[in-house]
Amino acid sequence: MPPAAPAALAPGRSADPDTHEPRSTSGRAAERAEADGSRAGAEAYGPRPPHAAPPHAAPAPRGYRGVFAVKEFRAVFAAHLLSLLGVVVTEISLTVLVYDLTGSPLLSALTFALGFLPYLFGGTFLAGVADRYPARRVLVLCDLVCAGCVAVMVVPGTPVAGLLALRCAVAAVSPVFTGTRMAALTDILGEGDLYVLGRSLLRIVSQSALLAGFAVGGVLLTVVPPRGAISLTVVTFLCSAALLRLGTKDRPARLLKEDGGANLLRDSLDGARLVLADRRIRALTLLFWVPAMFVVAPEALMAPYADQIGVGPAALGLLMCAMPVGHIAAELVAGAALGPRTRARIVLPSAAVGLLPLVVYAATPGVVLALVALALSGVGAVYVIGLDQWFVAAVPDELRGRAMTLMTAGLMTVQGLGMALAGLAAEFLPVHQVVAGAGVIGTVCSLLLVYEVRRTDPGKRE
């Protein structure tokens, strides 16, 4: 079964001696799970108590059907879809708008890159928002801030510097929104299997939206000008805010006032310190980050590699889709066909070997072999579906919002860093060698992290 948090990692908690699952001494977590009808998800990670359901109660739906059976999750899912659509279309349209206004490829590229850079700022200095304030209020406010920023973008007189600043503001809010939503899912779905599958569905939507969203944005820009396309995203953000406001419950903040620091900055920095100082949580966080930093190398260098092997735009499009398709397929199979215990067993093996297929690039593969290697690397990312459960188990409830915000911000930051490093290396080495090297170095780093995660597993301690 997935490792649970040791008692030392969760102040104010005790462990169930039978299931080794963390349990809040105040009973808040259990009450939330029962109130939301989400105990079914938790059962998969431990024995079901005899009194957990009436003797003639109808069995709760399981798997992805069980997740969609929770009314609040349906609202979160729809809001996620709308918010994500707004972000993707804004990115494309704003990049085109800046290029139209300046004629500068550098500023156009910088507009896109600004989607990564502010994540570190928002995730580090604003993370305390996720625990200091009620989750619903934070989520709605984030959507409204994004809607306001986008609304100013469409004003004809907004200068390019203003557009870039507004782009940064939207990006800085994103990790707070995502981290708060991840933490709120444990209230809506519980801390067991339903949470894991809920996170899986949101990830699948994100991957699918990246495949479809850029195509939709491109088609949209053939019909309306960039400012017109951006103005449509104001509606998507407002609709997302309305869904979250009307479709989710108003729950109290995780961090009680008497437990909080003097100010938001102190709470945010304390959260980062607590997350990174704890050996178990740090190891799990790095297992999210490090493979992701190396797996982006082939995507960052896809166009130069297509040019190196002499293939056209159609083949380039296929190569760009291979890794997301592999990840989506693997996550759907793992979520629908595998049980919680099996998903837990494949976490460390998948993380250890997920980057190995990239070593094929050392032989300068053609399109077919490259497609297979990229798809297999996407399949290797299936380890995150089980890692989600371990992370929730390891992080105390009062730290969860900040931990998930930091994890999200770090994930986006290391991917941006990985792309930059791959591009820099390709200035001095052939593209295929850079990708193969990312596979080798990433595998070594992943193996070291897998060893560390094993060592910090409380279930294996003597």
Side-chain angles (χ1 to χ4, degrees):
M1 81 186 277
L9 300 187
R13 290 174 161 235
S14 60
D16 187 319
D18 296 323
T19 65
H20 302 289
E21 292 284 356
R23 184 172 61 190
S24 170
T25 55
S26 67
R28 286 176 62 200
E31 290 169 3
R32 286 170 171 167
E34 290 172 359
D36 298 329
S38 57
R39 293 296 295 174
E43 293 161 13
Y45 287 88
R48 181 184 178 92
H51 57 277
H56 301 295
R62 294 183 177 275
Y64 289 126
R65 287 181 59 228
V67 178
F68 279 117
V70 180
K71 182 179 179 181
E72 279 189 273
F73 178 79
R74 295 199 297 270
V76 171
F77 182 85
H80 172 65
L81 193 59
L82 288 168
S83 182
L84 188 63
L85 179 63
V87 169
V88 173
V89 174
T90 298
E91 286 179 348
I92 301 170
S93 304
L94 189 59
T95 301
V96 174
L97 176 60
V98 169
Y99 185 73
D100 288 345
L101 292 174
T102 65
S104 169
L106 175 61
L107 286 176
S108 179
L110 180 61
T111 304
F112 195 82
L114 287 175
F116 290 92
L117 302 179
Y119 261 79
L120 185 60
F121 171 84
T124 302
F125 299 109
L126 302 178
V129 171
D131 289 321
R132 283 175 66 102
Y133 303 101
R136 187 177 72 176
R137 188 187 309 171
V138 173
L139 294 174
V140 171
L141 182 60
C142 286
D143 267 335
L144 293 178
V145 168
C146 290
C149 290
V150 172
V152 177
M153 289 179 188
V154 302
V155 176
T158 306
V160 172
L163 293 174
L164 297 180
L166 292 167
R167 178 75 179 95
C168 286
V170 172
V173 166
S174 293
V176 177
F177 180 89
T178 304
T180 303
R181 185 185 60 209
M182 287 171 63
L185 279 182
T186 62
D187 299 327
I188 295 171
L189 299 173
E191 300 179 4
D193 198 44
L194 286 188
Y195 168 79
V196 172
L197 295 178
R199 283 278 298 132
S200 172
L201 280 171
L202 295 185
R203 252 193 318 269
I204 289 169
V205 169
S206 297
Q207 291 281 346
S208 302
L210 290 177
L211 289 175
F214 288 114
V216 171
V219 171
L220 187 61
L221 288 172
T222 65
V223 180
V224 297
R227 290 190 193 274
I230 294 173
S231 67
L232 294 177
T233 66
V234 177
V235 179
T236 66
F237 284 122
L238 291 176
C239 288
S240 174
L243 281 168
L244 293 169
R245 175 64 181 80
L246 301 175
T248 61
K249 295 179 181 178
D250 187 17
R251 296 178 174 86
R254 295 177 178 278
L255 187 64
L256 301 177
K257 289 184 178 180
E258 56 268 26
D259 297 330
N263 53 53
L264 173 62
L265 179 60
R266 174 62 61 86
D267 281 344
S268 300
L269 295 177
D270 282 349
R273 177 180 57 80
L274 290 170
V275 168
L276 298 178
D278 186 279
R279 185 177 178 185
R280 174 68 175 172
I281 301 175
R282 182 176 64 245
L284 296 175
T285 301
L286 289 174
L287 197 57
F288 278 109
W289 289 353
V290 172
M293 184 173 73
F294 291 97
V295 80
V296 297
E299 293 183 305
L301 300 175
M302 202 73 76
Y305 185 71
D307 182 63
Q308 178 180 332
I309 62 176
V311 297
L316 175 59
L318 287 174
L319 291 171
M320 291 292 290
C321 292
M323 195 177 292
V325 167
H327 186 188
I328 292 169
E331 188 131 4
L332 280 172
V333 170
L338 303 182
R341 296 179 188 278
T342 304
R343 291 198 296 267
R345 291 191 190 103
I346 67 174
V347 170
L348 298 184
S350 299
V353 303
L355 294 170
L356 271 180
L358 299 183
V359 179
V360 169
Y361 271 76
T364 319
V367 172
V368 175
L369 192 54
L371 284 172
V372 172
L374 292 169
L376 288 176
S377 291
V379 170
V382 73
Y383 76 92
V384 297
I385 193 172
L387 189 59
D388 277 334
Q389 175 62 35
W390 294 1
F391 193 75
V392 168
V395 179
D397 182 68
E398 64 274 9
L399 183 62
R400 194 166 288 160
R402 286 169 288 174
M404 291 181 172
T405 299
L406 181 67
M407 187 269 286
T408 301
L411 186 61
M412 291 297 292
T413 302
V414 299
Q415 287 183 87
L417 180 62
M419 291 180 180
L421 291 175
L424 178 62
E427 291 289 327
F428 304 97
L429 297 170
V431 171
H432 69 283
Q433 291 182 8
V434 174
V435 176
V440 173
I441 298 171
T443 298
V444 171
C445 293
S446 297
L447 287 170
L448 293 174
L449 280 173
V450 164
Y451 177 70
E452 177 66 4
V453 170
R454 277 188 175 277
R455 290 192 63 186
T456 59
D457 179 357
K460 296 186 180 297
R461 293 175 183 169
E462 299 181 357

